Amino acid sequence: MAKPFVKALWKWPQWLLELFSWGKSFKNNPIIGSYWLNRCGLHVMRVILAQSLFRFRLLLLAPLVAAGDRRDFLRNGYILRKDFLPEEQFQCLVLELQNYEGQVREFVEGTTLTQRAFMTHRVREQFPELKALVEDSRLDRLVRYCSSKNRPPLFYIENLCNHANVTPRPDPQRDMHADTFHPCVKGWLYIDPVDDSNGPYIYVPGSHCLTWRRLKWEYRQSLEACKRGDARAPGRYWDGSFRVTERDLAEMGFQPRKFCVPANTLLIGNVYGFHCRGEAKARSHRMTVWMQARDNPFNPLFTLWPKSTARAFEWGWGKVLGRLDRGKLASGEQRNFVGRFSR
Ligand SMILES: [Fe+2]
């Protein structure tokens, strides 16, 4: 009886800190997941505060990008650039990434085998074309602005093998969802062309905006996510990545857009907006340079030292990944290997 109580005492400071950071789990954090606190508006207050600070930081970082890009990002929730790299440079990058050999994490989502390589600044030293992309000032400025944190993102190579010969598992990517309760960005430079055969990205333009309808929806979802056991509707509510139904989208007046795009297209999206991975109709591959920038939404400031802050985050995330690896490898959910991507 005393043991869980002591354990809970130990955890309270952490739970409280999470409340003022990017913590989003309604299951693991009993404060975030408290029905009564959310009934009183805890979740919606976090959403409003995070959104306001995001807009404030974007305003200050506006000089980083052109007015047209800012308009696109604020109105649609994403920026799309076709033919991002000069053709010759892009072909060299394709060759380099297709011949990548190194550390790969591999796991199954649905019938998709997802392979990812975490490309730290040290690893990038061995891949000059990727290094040149990361150091491209157009990309650097876009991502530093869109993240609202003035910090370059974490970089990965992601290779999806659709309809792979695997035992299917639940697929969190196929349901329309928002990644979390606050604005944050992910980016993709498509190495393969994308169409219905290899699962296009689907995004709901404008769904990143905090409208009154969205706020009411957030409130309802937060109460749903607090339910326990059989009372909880199926879906991934517990981790704070709320799922949205077609009916909810229609009620909020939204229309999803499917991104069938040629190779060498850059897409940067605010994943507080609703999105999912579209169905892949054939056995196929989809490789991207994948970028992720998530930060404390309640810190009103952004860094003045982008490069060194990015390295500090890279180091910290490397440690977290190592810890996550241990659990996933032990459960058989993930396989790590040194080698090449399946193509
Ligand atoms: Fe997502």
Side-chain angles (χ1 to χ4, degrees):
M1 194 64 187
K3 211 173 172 186
F5 181 71
V6 172
K7 193 179 169 191
L9 268 184
W10 176 252
K11 288 240 172 186
W12 268 90
Q14 183 194 331
W15 290 333
L16 275 168
L17 275 178
E18 280 177 5
L19 199 58
F20 299 99
S21 73
W22 51 45
K24 61 170 184 166
S25 176
F26 283 68
K27 181 188 174 191
N28 299 333
N29 186 321
I31 305 175
I32 291 172
S34 159
Y35 181 82
W36 290 106
L37 287 177
N38 285 314
R39 187 96 199 240
C40 295
L42 174 66
H43 176 72
V44 290
M45 285 307 294
R46 292 182 90 213
V47 169
I48 292 170
L49 187 58
Q51 190 78 223
S52 310
L53 291 172
F54 177 68
R55 289 296 181 126
F56 170 68
R57 290 187 302 263
L58 283 187
L59 198 68
L60 297 182
L61 289 172
L64 275 178
V65 295
D69 288 331
R70 290 202 302 270
R71 217 170 24 244
D72 281 356
F73 187 62
L74 293 175
R75 184 181 53 207
N76 300 323
Y78 63 86
I79 291 173
L80 185 73
R81 288 269 187 90
K82 289 185 180 167
D83 299 319
F84 183 70
L85 289 176
E87 185 54 27
E88 202 178 321
Q89 187 186 344
F90 179 69
Q91 289 309 330
C92 291
L93 177 67
V94 171
L95 208 63
E96 183 177 272
L97 299 191
Q98 286 183 343
N99 290 318
Y100 169 87
E101 203 161 345
Q103 174 89 42
V104 177
R105 292 178 168 83
E106 181 183 85
F107 48 92
V108 175
E109 296 171 307
T111 57
T112 305
L113 188 68
T114 301
Q115 298 176 326
R116 274 186 202 151
F118 183 33
M119 305 301 284
T120 63
H121 71 282
R122 281 189 210 286
V123 178
R124 292 198 297 265
E125 287 299 328
Q126 301 154 41
F127 299 90
E129 297 299 331
L130 181 66
K131 187 170 180 250
L133 169 71
V134 169
E135 288 172 2
D136 187 313
S137 68
R138 296 170 305 145
L139 176 67
D140 185 59
R141 293 166 80 92
L142 276 176
V143 191
R144 276 163 53 202
Y145 168 76
C146 292
S147 70
S148 86
K149 287 289 186 173
N150 199 28
R151 172 174 66 81
L154 302 169
F155 286 89
Y156 290 83
I157 310 169
E158 181 180 76
N159 183 52
L160 304 181
C161 310
N162 295 304
H163 299 290
N165 187 20
V166 293
T167 309
R169 293 176 64 92
D171 189 350
Q173 304 295 340
R174 301 284 181 203
D175 298 324
M176 191 66 84
H177 65 280
D179 270 16
T180 185
F181 69 94
H182 61 88
C184 58
V185 301
K186 284 182 180 165
W188 299 262
L189 179 76
Y190 291 101
I191 300 302
D192 293 311
V194 186
D195 55 27
D196 284 330
S197 69
N198 60 355
Y201 184 66
I202 298 176
Y203 188 83
V204 182
S207 63
H208 64 298
C209 292
L210 192 57
T211 59
W212 179 241
R213 282 180 183 173
R214 175 69 185 266
L215 205 56
K216 284 199 292 186
W217 181 86
E218 291 281 351
Y219 183 71
R220 288 198 304 271
Q221 297 305 308
S222 71
L223 298 185
E224 193 64 45
C226 294
K227 292 179 179 169
R228 295 283 181 266
D230 292 342
R232 182 188 289 148
R236 230 168 48 135
Y237 282 105
W238 57 267
D239 70 349
S241 297
F242 292 160
R243 268 45 193 158
V244 62
T245 63
E246 278 184 29
R247 193 177 157 185
D248 289 339
L249 283 182
E251 275 175 13
M252 286 187 264
F254 291 135
Q255 192 70 44
R257 176 183 168 182
K258 195 196 283 186
F259 288 85
C260 290
V261 292
N264 197 13
T265 296
L266 175 74
L267 176 64
I268 297 173
N270 177 349
V271 286
Y272 176 67
F274 297 124
H275 61 279
C276 67
R277 191 184 290 160
E279 205 64 50
K281 293 195 172 143
R283 202 180 164 94
S284 54
H285 295 105
R286 198 186 84 180
M287 185 184 270
T288 55
V289 175
W290 185 63
M291 296 154 251
Q292 188 183 35
R294 188 175 292 186
D295 209 320
N296 186 345
F298 300 119
N299 179 356
L301 307 172
F302 49 77
T303 179
L304 298 176
W305 302 276
K307 212 169 176 176
S308 39
T309 313
R311 289 192 179 180
F313 265 76
E314 209 176 75
W315 176 83
W317 183 239
K319 298 280 170 208
V320 174
L321 266 184
R323 206 173 56 230
L324 293 174
D325 277 355
R326 284 195 284 278
K328 289 177 181 175
L329 293 171
S331 68
E333 199 182 320
Q334 183 180 297
R335 179 172 87 96
N336 289 8
F337 64 91
V338 174
R340 299 172 67 120
F341 292 116
S342 310
R343 297 287 290 172

